Structure formats: structure tokens, C-alpha cells
């Protein structure tokens, strides 16, 4: 067919196009024809805007045009803050069609053409391009049918402004020590923002290879997923970097950065080149990250027994970054506080954070990059694994950091959300970008990690490890579902995938070789579906009856009581397969029992004095000891607390106070339980018990309950005086001792403990006299700054230092101190500066709002700021972003009265259209309701209990 016949047939095709071009589609009402080229095409335009309607209405792209390879050219201009580019996408057509539908958001399309596999143009004119902005899609119309089974090349020229926000291809800036502002351009594409940088098939299952070229000025460097193969000189003194072709990967993992950064480099034992990039005056803070990255990549290659497939891995600290970090294959991007470590200003907690963040992103190079979830509903396969592998990898490579002590806290955070009715299942539907972005939450990360922790202990370390290696090998460069993981862990495969000699057998044989757990056969899929396909967490209630332990499971909810009318409906249909573990005083054996029914019983023998269920909290469930069971636990802790591990002691403290909130245990029982802590020497249970008392103190402080606030403050200081007084104002000791020091001295000074205040003021005076050049002990620097910030001169001095400091770790501590002031005008000004985004970066606004909300005089200031600036915040950060979610949940979480609950409800009603799209609004309401009920039930109990302690 030649060009002349195309034009004759074109009008005849129009009538039938929409019924044959994209099967099952309906014309969209909200489509716009976009001008093709800035230059007029020769000859008449083949179609006018009224001739075509957008051919596709669904959010997900059609499946029968499959991208194979992208040739991408990007040219950012860091002066005009614009970029232009072109992309040639090699596609495979699997159904006859005249349309190519792909993603594009905020891009101006200058030109679009389609070439056949011989690179011959299908049309001598630029092709019509239609936009469907509501679905972030463009449709390109080909007058000649694209034939099934054939390859084609889609060529598009495009351009846009560098994004002002923190998604897509955006601008970032930093200030030098001389006050000069410098600009760089960086990308953040996960989950759905690659389409803001170039037209693409922006869904995780559309994996392809990428060849990237970047044009830049000589004073900059460019980085992408692969190493530079060749640099050539172009017109106007520009340079063009051509990068090696990538491995097959999803669009959200593509990355490029154009900057003037410096780097430090080392090589792993397998020859992978590792480099850390940072702003020129900060590159000396990159050495620790380099050491960690080399060590951890070596660990993962050994643990997964699969070589890292790229020749290099760059880690770069981006000055403006919304998330903690991003796992782009071969070019991981980080917030500066998540990568840079300054020995003079970074604390031991900062060191742990950097180490674990690198561990998380490098784990993703296998979990997420090599094997990717099929769709965002299974995001936990990426994020739950990466969160859990942080602990496995860092515990193995940096045992001194004691990261295993933080795993309990990770699960406690998950339980906090999962015990609200507004939680969600681990695997949840998510279709549009706002829904997808909200999948990056506590459930995917923390609950995902805790369920994997339970599964690893259940299957044993070796079985777990070999199962996930099988999973990674089988699905390399492909996509997977949760079911694929369960099949790999049970060593099964489909009949047509039978692998001789690899212990692989058909699904029909699964029951013949099921795992034995406590002598019981197990269907792993059935068990794990109860943890991933239903929301919530089980409460296991245990009652001792002679030689037997009676057990019952319910759904654990902190917002609803069994006496409430809605209780039965909220419990309906919930049942978990729970791998119970327990210990008694009669042996050191950890006993196991698989609970698959609502009620059950276990024989433990008459001679057992006590039984502790959920040993070391390896299981993801809460335990309630009925009929005097908590009295037995309290007695054990008082008389012989070391009979239980530090994890078991921490678990008891946590469960007791959660049951108080749920209305199942009186507050005085939980407070009596922690009276053993005067004997406690381990940091983790000490900080858990102290943390609950501190949270009650802040609650009473915000409610202006002066008598309780005063009594509780005095009780804490008296009860923990020995621990407080033995702390030194230094950086000496183990990681656990240093963590305890930071937390305990911070609280003691907040409670106006005079020896603490005197020490902090002395350190602050010395720091002021040195003009900020004195390096304070990093573990106590935040406490020293916070005490110093309570007067005007100290506050202003800290603010001046904040503006010029080159250490993000120091700036984070100073910002916390600035937000601790009781001067409401200063708090208001801080929030306005955060919104402006110059002195205080936009990336730090959600942290700042939460800091102000948690300060004694700031909770209403923060909330009013959110209400007043809601439209600006949504415009700046996108509706489903972590910034918006954290701001909503964080500010409202400080409310404890029915009046405040009504006020929050009223505001959400006023933004109903947006609020209805956010799960966070319901989480916020659940949270406030939980707080209100806690006060109603426990205020007088707390007052009376404190009175008794004085006698």
C-alpha cells in the first residue's frame, strides 16, 4: 500500500476504527487533540480534531502493544529549567490496531510518527496525537493498520518544564558555603511519574530495555542506570553522554541526574563499581555510605546466590527528595540524611538510619528490580521484603548496630494501624495514581516485613532462604504475584513448568509434601492468604484451665468494644491460620501449635506455673491473658524478669497497653505490670515502658490537665532517677547505651529535671561561645539545642546556624529544637517558611508540621495551618503522597476531645471530594476516636493511680 492509497482509504477507515482498533474500548469524552509539531507539516492535515475520539477509557493500558526497547534522548536546560527529548520505542503488536495508547503527563508532544521494522515511515505526515489528561494517556493514530505479530518503532518528540514538585523529572537546588545557589535536575518515577519525563508504557509489567542519551553542558555530569559508554561533543559546546543499554526493567526504575556533584568510589569483591555522589562540599560525608554499600552488595550476592547484574551501582544524595530513598536500578537516589554521615554531627541513630536505608535500596535490586510485582496491589512483594531484608543484611554485616532491637518497633507500628477498622489487607486493589501512591504505607512496608518475619521463623531460616532464592531465579526479569512466592516457598510449580531433579512437583501434589508444623500438615497458600487477603491483626485470648490452655482468636480492634452494637459485624468472617509459639517455666523448649479455628486448646501440663505465648514476638498477633493471667505475668516480671527474654518483656509491655486502649485491661493493671522496670537493664523494654508514660504525659500536657501532668512528671523522674542520673553527656558506650542516653536525657530535660537542664545549658553556652564551631556530643546535641531554643537569643542563634549548616543531620536536630519553643508566633513563622520552601526545604515540611503538632503549644497551630493551606499543600505534593498522608494523620493524632473530633470531621466534610479518595482521612478519624475513648475510660484511673503512688 503506498501513500496515495492511504489517503483514499482513510475516511472509510474512520467509521470502523473504534470498533476494531482497541477491543472492548469505548470513546472517551475527555480527550483533546494536541498540536503535533512546532513546524507545519507538508500537505493537508490528515484529520481534524473533530474526526477522532480518544479510543480507550480504562486506566490500565491495552495489553496488545508491548514495548521491547526505548531509545531515549533527554536534554535538560538548567538555566531555562526546561527539557526536551525524543523517544523511539520498539513495540510488538499482538492484535491488529490503528491506535497506540501510552502514558504521558504534562508533556508537550511536538511530533509523533510510526515506522515499520525496516524503519520506513507508515505515513509521510506527522500522526495525530490525542490526550486524555484524566487518565494521563495519549493516543497516536496510524492511518495504516498495525499488524499482529509485527514489530514497529514509535517515535515521539516532546518537551516540558522541569517539575516544581518532587516527582517526575524535577529541579533541585543547593547552596554553597559562599551563598551561591546551584541547580541540578533529578528524577523520581515510582510509582507513576516516568510519564512526566517521557511518553512510555508506565506500568510495572511492561518491562523493556533502555538506551539513554543525555545532553549537558561541560560543567555538569550526567548519571543514569548504566555506565557511560561514550561522550561526544555537539553544537553549542554541549556534550552528549551515551549510556550502555540497560537490562530489562520497569519504567519506574529508569533514572537520570544532571548535576555538578563529586564522588567516592570502591569495588565489591565481584567487581561491581560502587560510587557515592554528593554536593561538592559534602562528598567527604560519603565515605561511610561507600563502606556500607560495598559490604551490603557483597552480602546480598552471597545470600541470594544471584550476581548483581549491572557493572556499577551509584548512590546519590539529592538535596530535594520527598521519600527516604529510591531503588532505581544502578542509580539509587537518597535524601541527604539517608545517605550522608558526618562523624561530627551525625548521631548513632543517624548511622543506623543510613545503614538500613542503603540495605533497603540494595535489597530492592533483587526484590523489586530483578523480580517485580505484576501490579501495585502486590506492592508488598517489593517493599515488605526490602524492609525485612534491612534487618537480615545489617544484622549480618554490622552486628554492633543491634538492628534486631528495632524489628519489634517496626511491628508495633504496623499493629498501631492494623488495629483500626480503617486498615487494609496487604494485597489491596489500587487502580488510579492516587490509590497506587497510598499503597506505599505501613501495611506494605512494616506489616509486610512482620508477616515475612513470622513466616521465616515458621519455615526455618534455611527453608525460607532457599524458597526466596527459587522465587528470584524463576521470575528474574519478570513479574510475579503473591501466589508465585507461596509456590516457590512450598517448592511447587505448574505441570508444564516441571523441572526434573529440582524437587519441583505439580500443584496437585502439594498436600503430599506439605510442611509439618507441630505435627500438623499445612497448606502454605491457605495459611498466608489469611494474612495477606484480609485486613487486621488477630487477638489470641488465653485462659489457663488446669493442664490445658484454652485459646480463642478474634479480630483485634482498638476503636470498638465487644459491648458496642457494631462489634459483631466487624468481627464477621475473620479467621487466621496462626502459627502459635509458647514457653513455660518447665523447660526451655519453644512449643508450637497451628491454630486454624476460632477456638482451640493446648495441653501444657499441671506443673507449669506460667505460660508466655508468642515467644520473642515472632508471630504477628496480640495476646490477652484472661482470668488473672496478667497478674501471673506481673508477678513473674517482679520476681524474676530475666526468666523471659528482653523481646518477651517488651512484647508483654506493648500488648498490655494496647489492651488498655481496646478496653480489655484496666490501665492500673498495665501500670503495675511495668513496676518491674526499676530492675530492668535492657534498653528495649526500658524505652517501651518509658515511652508509654511519656505519651500519657504529652497527652495530659496538651489537654491542660495540670495536676496529672505535674504528678506524672514527678513520678517518671522519681521512678527512673537512677537511670537518668547514670547517663553521661558523651558519645561513649554501645549502640544500645547511646540510644538510651538520647531518649532518657531528652525526656528528663522536657520534664524540667534540674540537673539535666543545668548540663544542657552549660553545653549550649559553650556552643554559643564557639560561634557554633564546637562539636557537641551527637547523642545529646538535639537535647542541648532544644533547651537552648527556649529563649529568644538561643532560638535566633540556632536559626542562623540552620541557614548555613552543611550538615543535614545537624539541621534536622536544630529544626526539632526550633519547633520545641513555646512561642506560638515562632511556630507559626516556621510553618510559613516550610510552605515557602526556601530556608526550610519543601521535603522537610511534613516532618516540621509533625514536630510543631507534637510540641506542647503547637497542635492547634499545626492543624489550623493544614486547614488554611490545604489547597496549596495538595497542589505542591499530590493528593496521595506520603507528605499529605503524614500531615493528615500526624496533626489529628494529637487530638483527644469530642470537640476536636467534630472539628476534624467538619474539615474532612468540607474537602469531601478529595477526602473520599484518601484512606488517611478515615485512619485519622479512627485515631481521634480512639484517643477520645482512651481519655473517657482512663483519665480518672490515671489520676487515682498517681495519687496512690504518692502514699
Amino acid at each position: 500500500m503506498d501513500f496515495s492509497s492511504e489517503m483514499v482509504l482513510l475516511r472509510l477507515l474512520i467509521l470502523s476504527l473504534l470498533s476494531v482498533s482497541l477491543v472492548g474500548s469505548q470513546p472517551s469524552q475527555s480527550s483533546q487533540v494536541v498540536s503535533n509539531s512546532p513546524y507545519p507539516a507538508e500537505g493537508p492535515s490528515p484529520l481534524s480534531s473533530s474526526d477522532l475520539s480518544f479510543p480507550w477509557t480504562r486506566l490500565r493500558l491495552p495489553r496488545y502493544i508491548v514495548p521491547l526497547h526505548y531509545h531515549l534522548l533527554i536534554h535538560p536546560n538548567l538555566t531555562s529549567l526546561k527539557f526536551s527529548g525524543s523517544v523511539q520505542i520498539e513495540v510488538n503488536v499482538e492484535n491488529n490496531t490503528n491506535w497506540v495508547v501510552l502514558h504521558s503527563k504534562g508533556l508537550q508532544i511536538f511530533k509523533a510518527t510510526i515506522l515499520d521494522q525496516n524503519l520506513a515511515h507508515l505515513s509521510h505526515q506527522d500522526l495525530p496525537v490525542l490526550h486524555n489528561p484524566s487518565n494521563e494517556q495519549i493516543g497516536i493514530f496510524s492511518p495504516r493498520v498495525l499488524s499482529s505479530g509485527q514489530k514497529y518503532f514509535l517515535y515521539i518528540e516532546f518537551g516540558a518544564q522541569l517539575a516544581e514538585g518532587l516527582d517526575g523529572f524535577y529541579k533541585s537546588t543547593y547552596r554553597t558555603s559562599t551563598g551561591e545557589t546551584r541547580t541540578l535536575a533529578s528524577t523520581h518515577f515510582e510509582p507513576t511519574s516516568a510519564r512526566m519525563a517521557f511518553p512510555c508504557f508506565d506500568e510495572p509489567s511492561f518491562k523493556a530495555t533502555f538506551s539513554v542519551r543525555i545532553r549537558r553542558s561541560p560543567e555538569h555530569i550526567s548519571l543514569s542506570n548504566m555506565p557511560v559508554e561514550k561522550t561526544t561533543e555537539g553544537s553549542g559546546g554541549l556534550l552528549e553522554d551515551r549510556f550502555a543499554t540497560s537490562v530489562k526493567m520497569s519504567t519506574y526504575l529508569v533514572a537520570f541526574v544532571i548535576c555538578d556533584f563529586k564522588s567516592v568510589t570502591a569495588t565489591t569483591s565481584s567487581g561491581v563499581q560502587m560510587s557515592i555522589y554528593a554536593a561538592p562540599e559534602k562528598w567527604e560525608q560519603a565515605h561511610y555510605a561507600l563502606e556500607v554499600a560495598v559490604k551490603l552488595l557483597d552480602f546480598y550476592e552471597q545470600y541470594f546466590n544471584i550476581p548483581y547484574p549491572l557493572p556499577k551501582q551509584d548512590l546519590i544524595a539529592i538535596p530535594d527528595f520527598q521519600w527516604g530513598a529510591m531503588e532505581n536500578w544502578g542509580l539509587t537516589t537518597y535524601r541527604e540524611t539517608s545517605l550522608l554521615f558526618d562523624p561530627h554531627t551525625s548521631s548513632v541513630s543517624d548511622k543506623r538510619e543510613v545503614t538500613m536505608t542503603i540495605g533497603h535500596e540494595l535489597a530492592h535490586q533483587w526484590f523489586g528490580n530483578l523480580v517485580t510485582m505484576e501490579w501495585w496491589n502486590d506492592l508488598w512483594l517489593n517493599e515488605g521484603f526490602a524492609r525485612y531484608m534491612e534487618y537480615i543484611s545489617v544484622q549480618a554485616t554490622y552486628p554492633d548496630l543491634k538492628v534486631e532491637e528495632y524489628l519489634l518497633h517496626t511491628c508495633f507500628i504496623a499493629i498501631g494501624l492494623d488495629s483500626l477498622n480503617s486498615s487494609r489487607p496487604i494485597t489491596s486493589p489500587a487502580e488510579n495514581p492516587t490509590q497506587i501512591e497510598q499503597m506505599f504505607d505501613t501495611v506494605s512496608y512494616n506489616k509486610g516485613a512482620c508477616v515475612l518475619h513470622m513466616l521465616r521463623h515458621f519455615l526455618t531460616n534455611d527453608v525460607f532462604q532457599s524458597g526466596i532464592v527459587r522465587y528470584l531465579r524463576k521470575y528474574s526479569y519478570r513479574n510475579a504475584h503473591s501466589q508465585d512466592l507461596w509456590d516457590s516457598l512450598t517448592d511447587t510449580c505448574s505441570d508444564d513448568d516441571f523441572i526434573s531433579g529440582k524437587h519441583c512437583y505439580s500443584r496437585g501434589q502439594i498436600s503430599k509434601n506439605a510442611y509439618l508444623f507441630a505435627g500438623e500438615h499445612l497448606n502454605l497458600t491457605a495459611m498466608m492468604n489469611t494474612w495477606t487477603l484480609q485486613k487486621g491483626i488477630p487477638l489470641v485470648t488465653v485462659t489457663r484451665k488446669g493442664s490445658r490452655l484454652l485459646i480463642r482468636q478474634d479480630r483485634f480492634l482498638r476503636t470498638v468494644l465487644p459491648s458496642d452494637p457494631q462489634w459483631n459485624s466487624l468481627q464477621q468472617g475473620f479467621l487466621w491460620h496462626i502459627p502459635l509459639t509458647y514457653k513455660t517455666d518447665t523447660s526451655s523448649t519453644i512449643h508450637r501449635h497451628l491454630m486454624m479455628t476460632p477456638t482451640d486448646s493446648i495441653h501444657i501440663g499441671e506443673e507449669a506455673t506460667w505460660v508466655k505465648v508468642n515467644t520473642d514476638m515472632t508471630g504477628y498477633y496480640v495476646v490477652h491473658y484472661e482470668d488473672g493471667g496478667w497478674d501471673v505475668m506481673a508477678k513473674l516480671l517482679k520476681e524474676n524478669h530475666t526468666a523471659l527474654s528482653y523481646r518477651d518483656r517488651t512484647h508483654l509491655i506493648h500488648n498490655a497497653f494496647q489492651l488498655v486502649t481496646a478496653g480489655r485491661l484496666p490501665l492500673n493493671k498495665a501500670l503495675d505490670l511495668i513496676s518491674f522496670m526499676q530492675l530492668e537493664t535492657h534498653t528495649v523494654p526500658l524505652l517501651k515502658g518509658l515511652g508509654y508514660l511519656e505519651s500519657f504525659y504529652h497527652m495530659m500536657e496538651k489537654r491542660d490537665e495540670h495536676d496529672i501532668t505535674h504528678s506524672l512528671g514527678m513520678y517518671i523522674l522519681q521512678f527512673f532517677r537512677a537511670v537518668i542520673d547514670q547517663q553521661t553527656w558523651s558519645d561513649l558506650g554501645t549502640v544500645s547505651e547511646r540510644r538510651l542516653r538520647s531518649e532518657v536525657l531528652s525526656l528528663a530535660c522536657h520534664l524540667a529535671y534540674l540537673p539535666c537542664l543545668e548540663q544542657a545549658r552549660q553545653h549550649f553556652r559553650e556552643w554559643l561561645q564557639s560561634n557554633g564551631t564546637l562539636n557537641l556530643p551527637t547523642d545529646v546535641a538535639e537535647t542541648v539545642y532544644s533547651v537552648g531554643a527556649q529563649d529568644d537569643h538561643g532560638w535566633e542563634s540556632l536559626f542562623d546556624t540552620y541557614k548555613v549548616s552543611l550538615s543535614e543531620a545537624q539541621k534536622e536536630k536544630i529544626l526539632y529544637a526550633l519547633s520545641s519553643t513555646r512561642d506560638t508566633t515562632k511556630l507559626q513563622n516556621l510553618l510559613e517558611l516550610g510552605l515557602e520552601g526556601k530556608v526550610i526545604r519543601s521535603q522537610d515540611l511534613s516532618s516540621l508540621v509533625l514536630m510543631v503538632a507534637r510540641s506542647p503549644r503547637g497542635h492547634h497551630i499545626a492543624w489550623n495551618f493544614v486547614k488554611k493551606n490545604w489547597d496549596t499543600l495538595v497542589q505542591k505534593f499530590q493528593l496521595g503522597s506520603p507528605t499529605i498522608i503524614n500531615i493528615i494523620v500526624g496533626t489529628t493524632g494529637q487530638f483527644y476531645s469530642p470537640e476536636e473530633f467534630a472539628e476534624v470531621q467538619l474539615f474532612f466534610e468540607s474537602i469531601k471530594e478529595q477526602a473520599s479518595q484518601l484512606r488517611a482521612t478515615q485512619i485519622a478519624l479512627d485515631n481521634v476516636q480512639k484517643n477520645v475513648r482512651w481519655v473517657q475510660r482512663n483519665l480518672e484511673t490515671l489520676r487515682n493511680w498517681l495519687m496512690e503512688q504518692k502514699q
Side-chain angles (χ1 to χ4, degrees), residues 461-474:
N461 292 351
D462 289 346
V463 172
F464 179 81
Q465 184 177 351
S466 61
I468 64 174
V469 169
R470 256 195 309 276
Y471 167 79
L472 290 171
R473 284 185 185 280
K474 183 171 180 180

Side-chain angles (χ1 to χ4, degrees), residues 57 120 140 259 304 468 496 564 662 800:
T57 56
I140 298 170
C259 62
F304 296 135
I468 64 174
D496 59 354
D564 290 342
D800 289 341

Side-chain angles (χ1 to χ4, degrees), residues 659-675:
L659 290 161
V660 169
T661 307
R664 288 172 173 267
L665 189 69
L667 175 61
N668 55 309
K669 290 262 189 195
L671 291 167
D672 289 341
L673 181 87
I674 61 171
S675 63

Side-chain angles (χ1 to χ4, degrees), residues 191-260:
T192 60
S193 294
R195 63 193 71 172
M196 294 172 69
F198 60 100
C200 56
F201 296 81
D202 199 11
E203 294 177 7
S205 61
F206 283 122
K207 289 193 171 188
T209 52
F210 295 80
S211 299
V212 177
R213 291 179 295 145
I214 296 177
R215 288 191 187 142
R216 60 176 172 86
S217 58
E219 67 266 23
H220 293 115
I221 60 168
S222 72
L223 301 169
S224 189
N225 305 81
M226 299 298 288
V228 173
E229 268 188 342
K230 187 180 180 184
T231 300
T232 55
E233 246 182 271
S235 58
L238 293 176
L239 300 177
E240 184 175 294
D241 293 325
R242 188 176 75 198
F243 295 86
T245 301
S246 77
V247 294
K248 196 176 176 185
M249 63 186 189
S250 305
T251 46
Y252 77 83
L253 295 170
V254 176
F256 31 90
V257 181
I258 298 86
C259 62
D260 65 347

Side-chain angles (χ1 to χ4, degrees), residues 441-583:
D441 65 355
T442 299
V443 173
S444 289
Y445 285 75
N446 293 26
K447 183 178 180 179
C450 297
V451 166
L452 288 170
H453 181 60
M454 176 170 69
L455 184 59
R456 181 176 174 226
H457 278 267
F458 173 63
L459 298 176
T460 73
N461 292 351
D462 289 346
V463 172
F464 179 81
Q465 184 177 351
S466 61
I468 64 174
V469 169
R470 256 195 309 276
Y471 167 79
L472 290 171
R473 284 185 185 280
K474 183 171 180 180
Y475 296 99
S476 289
Y477 305 106
R478 293 164 60 194
N479 298 79
H481 302 89
S482 293
Q483 183 62 54
D484 300 320
L485 177 63
W486 312 143
D487 287 349
S488 298
L489 285 165
T490 49
D491 205 6
T492 69
C493 57
S494 61
D495 292 327
D496 59 354
D497 199 25
F498 187 86
I499 306 164
S500 177
K502 297 287 185 186
H503 310 288
C504 194
Y505 49 86
S506 71
R507 191 180 294 272
Q509 291 174 289
I510 193 167
S511 59
K512 296 179 187 173
N513 200 18
Y515 281 107
L516 277 174
F517 182 77
E520 299 161 68
H521 280 288
L522 159 78
N523 179 334
L524 190 69
T525 297
M527 172 186 159
M528 294 314 296
N529 282 349
T530 70
W531 297 98
T532 59
L533 300 184
Q534 63 181 350
K535 66 180 178 180
I537 178 170
L539 170 68
V540 174
T541 302
V542 300
T543 311
R544 181 75 184 271
K545 289 287 184 209
S547 64
R548 300 200 71 77
L549 199 65
L550 308 184
I551 50 177
R552 181 180 83 246
Q553 63 162 295
D554 300 290
R555 180 183 172 200
F556 180 56
L557 286 167
R558 291 187 300 157
T559 46
V560 186
L561 294 171
S563 56
D564 290 342
Q566 67 268 47
W567 174 260
N568 287 335
S569 64
L570 292 175
Q571 292 288 338
Q572 195 79 36
F574 283 87
L575 181 72
W576 287 265
H577 293 185
I578 308 171
L580 291 176
T581 55
Y582 62 95
K583 277 182 79 169

Side-chain angles (χ1 to χ4, degrees), residues 339-494:
L339 188 67
L340 303 181
F341 179 80
D342 178 1
H344 302 301
T345 57
S346 299
S347 68
V348 71
S349 295
D350 297 328
K351 187 178 221 177
R352 176 186 55 82
E353 192 61 40
V354 166
T355 313
M356 293 191 76
T357 305
I358 294 171
H360 184 99
E361 303 314 322
L362 293 185
H364 269 312
Q365 307 303 298
W366 285 265
F367 277 102
N369 299 10
L370 185 66
V371 180
T372 312
M373 74 271 136
E374 179 74 23
W375 184 250
W376 301 106
N377 63 316
D378 267 334
L379 177 68
W380 83 280
L381 289 174
N382 284 20
E383 298 302 348
F385 260 109
R387 174 59 46 91
Y388 189 44
M389 289 309 300
E390 293 173 30
Y391 290 98
I392 292 176
S393 63
V394 177
Q395 188 176 351
T397 51
Y398 288 89
D400 290 352
L401 286 179
K402 297 282 184 191
V403 294
E404 66 276 9
E405 294 183 357
Y406 290 82
L407 182 57
L408 293 180
H409 182 64
T410 294
C411 299
F412 293 154
I413 292 171
I415 293 168
L417 171 60
D418 226 12
S419 53
L420 302 178
N421 192 43
S422 46
S423 185
R424 65 169 182 86
I426 284 179
T427 296
S428 298
E431 291 300 320
N432 66 43
T434 299
Q435 292 167 348
I436 290 167
E437 201 152 25
Q438 291 177 81
M439 294 295 287
F440 292 80
D441 65 355
T442 299
V443 173
S444 289
Y445 285 75
N446 293 26
K447 183 178 180 179
C450 297
V451 166
L452 288 170
H453 181 60
M454 176 170 69
L455 184 59
R456 181 176 174 226
H457 278 267
F458 173 63
L459 298 176
T460 73
N461 292 351
D462 289 346
V463 172
F464 179 81
Q465 184 177 351
S466 61
I468 64 174
V469 169
R470 256 195 309 276
Y471 167 79
L472 290 171
R473 284 185 185 280
K474 183 171 180 180
Y475 296 99
S476 289
Y477 305 106
R478 293 164 60 194
N479 298 79
H481 302 89
S482 293
Q483 183 62 54
D484 300 320
L485 177 63
W486 312 143
D487 287 349
S488 298
L489 285 165
T490 49
D491 205 6
T492 69
C493 57
S494 61

Side-chain angles (χ1 to χ4, degrees), residues 828-933:
Q828 189 66 53
N829 291 343
L830 277 178
L831 291 171
E832 296 299 337
L833 287 169
L835 190 65
E836 184 189 42
K838 290 177 182 172
V839 176
I840 300 172
R841 291 183 184 275
S842 296
Q843 66 168 19
D844 298 321
L845 181 59
S846 65
S847 301
L848 174 62
V849 171
L850 266 60
M851 287 173 189
V852 171
R854 288 169 185 163
S855 68
R857 294 285 170 265
H859 54 306
H860 287 121
I861 292 170
W863 174 240
N864 289 334
F865 169 82
V866 172
K867 290 192 296 183
K868 177 185 166 190
N869 297 290
W870 175 254
D871 291 337
T872 309
L873 290 168
V874 171
Q875 191 179 352
K876 205 174 177 85
F877 296 109
Q878 298 190 23
L879 189 60
S881 69
T883 300
I884 295 295
I885 304 306
N886 290 341
I887 284 173
I888 289 173
V889 177
T891 51
T892 55
Q894 306 300 317
F895 293 151
Y896 302 94
S897 72
E899 295 76 24
E900 289 166 327
F901 178 75
E903 190 185 321
V904 173
Q905 267 186 318
L906 200 63
F907 175 66
F908 288 161
E909 192 63 35
S910 74
I911 55 161
K912 194 171 187 177
E913 190 182 339
Q914 291 165 320
S916 65
Q917 299 177 60
L918 294 175
R919 197 164 42 248
T921 52
Q922 194 52 53
I923 291 169
L925 289 169
D926 275 3
N927 237 336
V928 182
Q929 185 185 32
K930 173 207 73 178
N931 292 349
V932 169
R933 284 192 150 199

Side-chain angles (χ1 to χ4, degrees), residues 81-99:
L81 302 179
K82 294 179 179 178
F83 69 95
S84 58
S86 65
V87 65
Q88 181 176 287
I89 312 173
E90 183 183 350
V91 298
N92 200 30
V93 175
E94 297 180 359
N95 268 2
N96 288 354
T97 182
N98 291 84
W99 286 95

